[in-house]
Amino acid sequence: MRTTLFQRAAAVATTLGLTSLGLLGAGAAPAQAATSDCPKGYLCAWANGDGTGPMFKTKTSMPTLGSWDNKILTRYNRTGLNVCLFDEQNYAGGYSWDTPAESYPINGGNAEISSIKIAPTLRDCESDPYPYWATATSPRAGGFGDMNGDRRADAVLSDEAGRLWFLSGSGSGRLIGSGGWKAFDTLTRHGDFSGDGREDVIAREKATGKLWLYPGTGSGGLGARKLIGTGGWNSMGRLAAFGDLSGDGRSDLLGVEKATGKLWLYPGTGSGGLGARKLIGTGGWNGMNALVGAGDMTGDGRADLVAREKATGKLWLYLGTSTRTLGARKLIGTGGWNSMNHIIGAGDTSGDGRPDLEAADGVGLYQYQGLATGGLRKVDNDNRSWWALEGATAF
């Protein structure tokens, strides 16, 4: 019996990381026979080991295989998607898989295939495409992170297939973007940029360097986008929606300049645009591989920045100051943070009124509750649904 993707993921996560999952497919050598009859867009299969004779083909998932049940020995994935091959009918039992990269005939050496699922991601084969996300009700209404007005911090996930998912703090999820989101190499959110009181998303287009604002609808969805940067944003490395640093009550954007490592503040205009930038960090910011606008972590009424140091895996808190810059940093994570694939600042997730962080290590999602001193307290809520998300962005 073949094991499931999650079982394999859990077994290798601590030693190899989930990036090795692509090597755990069928693992067989390409068949030697010609298979030129297999059309593009299809999965083709044969009942022998050399890819000759009668050919089975499908471009849709099949819960049962009819006369081909337990007869497939050679297959050829030309779908451009992931193909999961189950031991039992109706996508039950263990399974192996062929990824889009394995676009050559494979002799599996095992005829135990009774159903086939063709899916955009491997997660789709045995689970919801998105991970589980649930947060406590905050005592404060209107805090950043809440995209649907229920006083729970929400999250958004762009998956490796380019779909966009809204993860409600109530524990549900739904599709809010059917495709095309892989065109963006940066996605960030923190509060209202458009001036309508709803949380928005800022996205940088990889091919053009344009910056787009996607206004929140107030129900977890996104409205028609607006161009807020005509080009040149590819000269910036990391971007982070921050909250109000400039002191005008509007959300701002931070950006690290690739060439110099300088940190720039782009003040929000209140109508969705960005004003003239201001230098707030003279250099060295290329040494950080994550920036998170985490909110007011110290309770002084000023927004703060959390940054992960690439060389050490340390987590630093940069305090917002009365002069609307960033002050002295404080160590809030002594190391090990490079093991986190996703660090999410979505506001108050624990329900105590203070901003928290959520971080995922490739299998589990952990809550880091914000303390009155600006520090963090780790809480394990036994959420092990954050597997097979290497190509995803959670924010």
Side-chain angles (χ1 to χ4, degrees), residues 303-363:
D304 305 312
L305 178 69
V306 171
R308 181 177 62 190
E309 194 170 24
K310 180 167 52 178
T312 64
K314 292 179 179 178
L315 204 65
W316 295 93
L317 177 66
Y318 290 82
L319 304 178
T321 71
S322 59
T323 57
R324 303 305 172 180
T325 58
L326 295 176
R329 68 182 187 178
K330 174 183 177 180
L331 184 66
I332 59 172
T334 56
W337 282 85
N338 279 333
S339 66
M340 297 299 180
N341 299 332
H342 310 278
I343 302 176
I344 306 166
D348 177 19
T349 62
S350 62
D352 63 359
R354 300 188 187 102
D356 308 304
L357 295 180
E358 301 276 333
D361 65 1
V363 174

Side-chain angles (χ1 to χ4, degrees), residues 135-141 143 150-153 347-354:
T135 58
T137 301
S138 176
R140 302 177 184 175
D150 63 357
R151 288 170 47 194
R152 293 174 180 262
D348 177 19
T349 62
S350 62
D352 63 359
R354 300 188 187 102

Side-chain angles (χ1 to χ4, degrees), residues 6 13 15 87 147 172 312 336:
F6 175 70
T15 56
D87 293 337
M147 294 185 67
S172 63
T312 64

Side-chain angles (χ1 to χ4, degrees), residues 20-358:
S20 63
L21 282 178
L23 303 176
L24 293 176
Q32 299 303 308
T35 52
S36 57
D37 290 335
C38 183
K40 186 176 181 180
Y42 282 79
L43 170 72
C44 301
W46 295 263
N48 53 44
D50 60 7
T52 61
M55 183 178 72
F56 163 92
K57 66 178 183 179
T58 182
K59 60 180 179 179
T60 60
S61 298
M62 296 186 66
T64 61
L65 299 184
S67 62
W68 282 88
D69 186 38
N70 287 330
K71 288 186 178 178
I72 292 174
L73 281 174
T74 300
R75 72 261 184 190
Y76 187 7
N77 179 16
R78 301 199 68 201
T79 65
L81 299 169
N82 296 281
V83 173
C84 296
L85 310 159
F86 289 83
D87 293 337
E88 301 176 19
Q89 295 181 354
N90 298 308
Y91 318 121
Y95 67 90
S96 59
W97 60 89
D98 298 337
T99 69
E102 295 169 299
S103 56
Y104 46 78
I106 291 176
N107 183 336
N110 187 339
E112 262 187 46
I113 298 174
S114 294
S115 55
I116 295 170
K117 183 177 283 191
I118 300 174
T121 72
L122 289 174
R123 283 188 63 98
D124 288 86
C125 286
E126 65 174 87
S127 171
D128 289 328
Y130 51 86
Y132 183 69
W133 172 274
T135 58
T137 301
S138 176
R140 302 177 184 175
F144 83 92
D146 179 11
M147 294 185 67
N148 61 358
D150 63 357
R151 288 170 47 194
R152 293 174 180 262
D154 307 309
V156 181
L157 180 88
S158 171
D159 71 16
E160 62 181 289
R163 300 171 297 184
L164 198 69
W165 301 92
F166 171 64
L167 309 183
S168 170
S170 64
S172 63
R174 63 184 173 89
L175 188 69
I176 58 172
S178 58
W181 287 87
K182 294 301 287 184
F184 301 105
D185 61 1
T186 294
L187 295 166
T188 185
R189 58 182 260 262
H190 184 125
D192 174 29
F193 281 85
S194 60
D196 61 2
R198 301 164 181 163
E199 182 140 314
D200 308 313
V201 169
I202 289 178
R204 180 177 61 191
E205 195 169 18
K206 182 166 47 178
T208 64
K210 292 179 179 178
L211 205 65
W212 296 92
L213 174 73
Y214 287 83
T217 62
S219 60
L222 299 174
R225 70 182 186 177
K226 173 186 176 180
L227 185 65
I228 60 172
T230 56
W233 284 88
N234 282 337
S235 66
M236 308 302 288
R238 301 196 173 274
L239 300 175
F242 184 75
D244 180 25
L245 182 62
S246 59
D248 58 5
R250 302 163 181 158
S251 291
D252 304 318
L253 183 71
L254 302 184
V256 177
E257 194 169 23
K258 288 180 184 177
T260 64
K262 292 178 179 178
L263 185 67
W264 294 91
L265 168 69
Y266 295 84
T269 63
S271 60
L274 297 172
R277 69 181 187 176
K278 174 186 176 182
L279 183 66
I280 60 171
T282 56
W285 286 88
N286 281 334
M288 302 296 174
N289 61 6
L291 298 178
V292 181
D296 178 15
M297 297 289 287
T298 59
D300 62 359
R302 304 175 189 125
D304 305 312
L305 178 69
V306 171
R308 181 177 62 190
E309 194 170 24
K310 180 167 52 178
T312 64
K314 292 179 179 178
L315 204 65
W316 295 93
L317 177 66
Y318 290 82
L319 304 178
T321 71
S322 59
T323 57
R324 303 305 172 180
T325 58
L326 295 176
R329 68 182 187 178
K330 174 183 177 180
L331 184 66
I332 59 172
T334 56
W337 282 85
N338 279 333
S339 66
M340 297 299 180
N341 299 332
H342 310 278
I343 302 176
I344 306 166
D348 177 19
T349 62
S350 62
D352 63 359
R354 300 188 187 102
D356 308 304
L357 295 180
E358 301 276 333

